[in-house]
Amino acid sequence: MAASPIHVLRGILRQIKSAPKQSLPSSILKDSQLKASALKQSDANKSSHYANPIQEKVMALYRSSMVVPSAQAESLRKMAHDFHVLKRDLRERGKLHELDGGAEVKLSPKEHTRRAAARAGLLPPELPSLDT
């Protein structure tokens, strides 16, 4: 079962807030309030609750979805949920990629081989130690 719309909205806003600041193209920023806040990023905290124009766009879309027909609202909820899951999974993939990066330098060749085999679902044979 999908999460409630407010939980999805909060999750999206949380992910946007922790992401690097971005700006939207002017073609997407149709609302004059959004354009003004995008142009005056230094005054954004004074004029709006959200400093990030993407957060403002998400909130505007959420508020406008309150008055759409139920069939369209359901598709918008599904799209928001899919976006939330995608962002969460991409963030997790990025963390794993960062952790795995440089493994060739940090790990011994034997440990690197063992981990690669484990990722493929294989169990490498135990090799006799060369230390003796």
Side-chain angles (χ1 to χ4, degrees):
M1 182 174 173
S4 70
I6 193 71
H7 289 108
V8 172
L9 174 68
R10 287 177 180 162
I12 291 172
L13 290 175
R14 190 171 35 252
Q15 290 172 355
I16 291 171
K17 184 178 180 181
S18 63
K21 299 289 186 250
Q22 299 176 3
S23 62
L24 291 174
S26 60
S27 62
I28 295 175
L29 296 174
K30 295 179 182 175
D31 191 357
S32 62
Q33 180 186 9
L34 293 176
K35 285 181 183 178
S37 66
L39 293 175
K40 300 176 184 178
Q41 289 186 359
S42 62
D43 296 333
N45 291 333
K46 297 177 186 175
S47 66
S48 174
H49 177 69
Y50 299 104
N52 191 339
I54 297 174
Q55 288 176 315
E56 291 183 29
K57 182 65 178 175
V58 168
M59 285 304 299
L61 287 171
Y62 178 76
R63 289 183 186 119
S64 68
S65 71
M66 298 291 186
V67 294
V68 297
S70 62
Q72 187 180 1
E74 183 65 28
S75 67
L76 288 173
R77 278 193 290 275
K78 286 180 184 178
M79 185 171 47
H81 183 264
D82 291 344
F83 177 75
H84 174 60
V85 170
L86 175 69
K87 288 289 285 181
R88 184 187 64 209
D89 291 346
L90 286 175
R91 175 163 289 150
E92 181 66 22
R93 182 177 181 210
K95 287 179 185 177
L96 293 174
H97 184 67
E98 185 177 319
L99 286 174
D100 196 31
E104 298 82 17
V105 177
K106 299 175 189 173
L107 303 175
S108 68
K110 184 177 179 180
E111 180 64 17
H112 190 66
T113 302
R114 188 194 67 76
R115 288 188 181 192
R119 278 195 298 268
L122 303 172
L123 183 62
E126 289 296 323
L127 299 175
S129 177
L130 298 175
D131 296 336
T132 57

